[in-house]
Amino acid sequence: MRHDRNLILAILLTLLVGCATSGSTTRRAPESNPENPKTKAAALYTDLGQKYMAQGKLEVALENLNKALAADNNHADAHTVIGLLYERIGDNAKAEQHYRRAAELMPKSGNENNNYGAFLCKIGRYDDSAVYFVRAIADPFYQTPAVALTNSGTCAIKGGKLDVAENDLRAALAREPDNAEALFQMASVLYLKNDFFRARAFIQRYEGVGQQSADALLLGRNIELRLGNGKAAQDYTRRLREKFPESQQARSLDAPVVSGNPG
């Protein structure tokens, strides 16, 4: 599950996550006047908080983010970044408080609604998260709707709503055909729907955009087993063990690969 990059660009770039960004200017909450000295101070402290988070100095980051909110408690970016920090240290109660406040301050913004929806999905509140993904996608100024659609589809899989998941993921891929996460999740949902031929096509498209992961290799193996292609399944098994030998997925492959439906 991915949070929107627009609000945490400095953190992600410094950590070299390598994610694309839209380059859009963040819209402020109506309650925050960007020309107000307190709002300017909040923006400055928020930027400092981001930089310290990127350096792993979380206590200093938290201090600056609290200063940002003390200066302007209606600063949506500050609520988002401090929510990210609390999520990182495992304080989900405080993380939710700040993600929710950011969404309240920016009720029509794709960024804030996607962030809150992604967090709600992470903590297992799948139905609640769907409301915020819908709001994110409805924002005509949101520059990365495929992110929210992919998050929505991924969350729908977790909630067992496979048809909803497939529709959302198809919509994401209509906007970004090479969206690796959407391709992988589409392969996953089709596998769960026993549509193994189409699942294979999407895992191949995922690999075609240059992506590899232990989860994808394991899924590819399982798809080929379901299709009765033992040789291809063995190839996925070999690649999984070579590229991700310490992964849980590789360690789970105790039994030898055989052709045919594994039942």
Side-chain angles (χ1 to χ4, degrees):
M1 183 68 62
R2 294 180 294 172
H3 289 293
D4 195 277
R5 276 95 170 155
N6 294 332
L7 293 181
I8 55 176
L9 175 58
I11 299 170
L12 296 181
L13 286 179
T14 307
L15 291 177
L16 300 178
V17 175
C19 298
T21 62
S22 64
S24 65
T25 301
T26 302
R27 288 171 284 155
R28 302 296 178 189
E31 294 85 348
S32 292
N33 179 358
E35 298 305 317
N36 187 306
K38 292 183 177 181
T39 301
K40 289 183 177 180
L44 175 62
Y45 282 123
T46 300
D47 288 342
L48 286 172
Q50 288 179 321
K51 291 175 182 177
Y52 283 119
M53 282 183 68
Q55 297 170 14
K57 300 177 181 178
L58 300 186
E59 291 185 9
V60 183
L62 181 59
E63 179 182 343
N64 279 276
L65 292 167
N66 280 324
K67 288 180 180 179
L69 292 173
D72 183 359
N73 195 44
N74 292 323
H75 197 276
D77 286 4
H79 282 288
T80 294
V81 178
I82 200 170
L84 177 67
L85 189 153
Y86 279 124
E87 181 182 357
R88 182 176 296 182
I89 65 176
D91 191 337
N92 285 342
K94 288 185 178 179
E96 180 181 357
Q97 173 188 339
H98 288 286
Y99 281 133
R100 181 177 64 246
R101 181 58 179 154
E104 290 171 350
L105 288 166
M106 302 288 285
K108 296 182 180 181
S109 171
N111 293 330
E112 284 75 12
N113 281 292
N114 176 66
N115 290 338
Y116 188 31
F119 176 78
L120 290 173
C121 183
K122 180 180 177 180
I123 62 174
R125 290 169 56 183
Y126 307 128
D127 290 340
D128 291 340
S129 73
V131 174
Y132 293 93
F133 292 134
V134 169
R135 292 178 185 175
I137 296 161
D139 177 4
F141 301 104
Y142 186 35
Q143 295 195 16
T144 56
V147 172
L149 284 163
T150 301
N151 284 344
S152 181
T154 301
C155 198
I157 294 174
K158 295 178 179 179
K161 298 181 178 180
L162 301 186
D163 289 339
V164 173
E166 183 175 351
N167 288 337
D168 285 344
L169 293 166
R170 287 195 181 283
L173 290 168
R175 289 166 171 79
E176 292 183 7
D178 292 336
N179 184 316
E181 182 65 17
L183 290 169
F184 170 73
Q185 296 298 340
M186 179 63 86
S188 299
V189 74
L190 292 172
Y191 177 80
L192 291 171
K193 295 175 78 171
N194 297 323
D195 192 343
F196 304 122
F197 281 107
R198 286 200 300 159
R200 172 198 273 169
F202 280 98
I203 207 68
Q204 289 174 342
R205 283 178 60 185
Y206 172 87
E207 293 176 334
V209 297
Q211 297 297 314
Q212 291 192 82
S213 70
D215 284 333
L217 290 170
L218 182 61
L219 178 58
R221 167 193 181 270
N222 292 340
I223 290 169
E224 295 301 336
L225 284 173
R226 292 291 183 178
L227 291 171
N229 192 342
K231 184 177 180 180
Q234 286 178 329
D235 182 62
Y236 274 110
T237 299
R238 176 188 57 77
R239 290 163 57 196
L240 176 57
R241 286 174 170 157
E242 288 179 355
K243 296 180 182 298
F244 304 97
E246 302 302 321
S247 68
Q248 180 180 352
Q249 294 85 347
R251 292 196 301 268
S252 70
L253 301 178
D254 296 328
V257 177
V258 295
S259 62
N261 191 317

